Amino acid sequence: MVNERLLPEKDRIEGVIDVGIIVISHFENPAKNSALDFLSDVLKWKRKCIIPTSAILGAYHILTRYLKVEKTSAYQALSKTLKTHSPAFYEDLSVEIVLDSLTNALGYNVESWDGYIISLAKKFRATIYTIDTKLARKVKDVPVVNPIPPNIFRKYNQWLKSKLKK
């Protein structure tokens, strides 16, 4: 299925949004406002970035399983985002892109999800927006940027470590 709302010849795609940005913007934490400001600009199409709809499913998994966010809260927050019907939502997951994703996962020694994000970034000649610092070290032929300011991201990581110890 081709994303009919997205017209690559008309809309130059700036970036691809990784799941971590979605996660941080959907629960209370020190980086939520920064992530939400960035995501809001993407959803309003002020920043021409795509959000794979499958990233929403990944965000729900991370929020509920690892961050122990109550399932109803995660569902409501993510559903509200989806109900914006933003032109940023990217719904295409073809066999070719999955094959390309697996090739990237193998070649870069990353998870298959990261391989997918790399494939999209290459397809659109776009930046990957992620909080995954390891990805930035492994991928050299695609720009990888954390949109959360470094001081706020440090506070988030400190907060997260203390939260996960409990």
Side-chain angles (χ1 to χ4, degrees):
M1 178 172 83
V2 175
N3 189 335
E4 295 169 4
R5 296 175 298 172
L6 186 65
L7 305 170
E9 66 280 355
K10 182 180 170 203
D11 296 317
R12 159 87 174 66
I13 302 304
E14 169 194 339
V16 180
I17 307 302
D18 195 8
V19 67
I21 306 299
I22 297 163
V23 168
I24 290 175
S25 63
H26 284 85
F27 80 110
E28 289 304 319
N29 65 79
K32 180 180 180 178
N33 290 339
S34 290
L36 201 50
D37 287 347
F38 180 79
L39 187 61
S40 178
D41 283 349
V42 170
L43 291 169
K44 292 174 186 169
W45 211 228
K46 289 180 182 176
R47 296 191 75 138
K48 303 285 197 270
C49 299
I50 59 171
I51 303 168
T53 52
S54 53
I56 303 296
L57 298 174
Y60 179 84
H61 177 73
I62 293 167
L63 286 165
T64 58
R65 179 156 186 187
Y66 298 105
L67 298 172
K68 308 296 184 210
V69 172
E70 199 270 326
K71 289 179 180 181
T72 302
S73 295
Y75 165 82
Q76 289 173 339
L78 293 168
S79 293
K80 184 177 177 182
T81 297
L82 283 168
K83 288 176 182 175
T84 66
H85 295 282
S86 169
F89 290 125
Y90 187 73
E91 301 171 11
D92 186 33
L93 196 59
S94 67
V95 170
E96 290 77 22
I97 200 83
V98 173
L99 285 168
D100 208 26
S101 302
L102 292 173
T103 301
N104 285 326
L106 179 63
Y108 289 104
N109 192 28
V110 296
E111 297 295 327
S112 58
W113 170 260
D114 293 331
Y116 175 53
I117 294 296
I118 294 165
S119 291
L120 290 177
K122 286 182 175 184
K123 176 180 178 175
F124 291 106
R125 295 186 193 111
T127 298
I128 297 172
Y129 288 103
T130 184
I131 60 167
D132 186 344
T133 55
K134 291 178 187 170
L135 189 63
R137 288 192 299 269
K138 289 183 176 184
V139 179
K140 299 298 181 199
D141 56 338
V142 175
V144 179
V145 174
N146 182 345
I148 299 170
N151 60 326
I152 295 173
F153 192 61
R154 268 191 302 281
K155 287 178 188 172
Y156 169 77
N157 281 315
Q158 291 167 347
W159 174 86
L160 186 61
K161 283 179 188 173
S162 68
K163 178 178 175 54
L164 294 177
K165 284 181 184 177
K166 296 177 184 178

